[in-house]
Amino acid sequence: MSGVDKMKDKAQELSGQGKQAVGEATDDRDLQAEGKKDQAAGSIKQAGEKVKDAFK
């Protein structure tokens, strides 16, 4: 996996954390849920790429 892809996945996870925090601060449950979803997607992508890297 390229370094750019790893950075994009991490950025998605961090963006999700930011959305969740803003959602909590503004009591916006939709934004909180979207943030959690983004965090999960970024984490899953990172885990998948780590598995691929392990088999190289």
Side-chain angles (χ1 to χ4, degrees):
M1 173 177 201
S2 74
V4 173
D5 289 336
K6 287 181 182 179
M7 288 177 19
K8 285 181 182 180
D9 295 341
K10 188 63 176 177
Q12 182 178 14
E13 182 181 2
L14 294 174
S15 172
Q17 289 175 355
K19 285 180 183 179
Q20 184 179 0
V22 170
E24 289 172 1
T26 61
D27 201 29
D28 184 343
R29 292 189 183 269
D30 291 335
L31 191 56
Q32 286 176 327
E34 185 178 335
K36 287 181 182 180
K37 182 189 73 151
D38 287 350
Q39 287 180 61
S43 294
I44 289 170
K45 288 178 185 177
Q46 289 178 45
E49 293 303 328
K50 286 179 183 179
V51 169
K52 280 195 238 179
D53 289 345
F55 286 103
K56 286 185 179 180

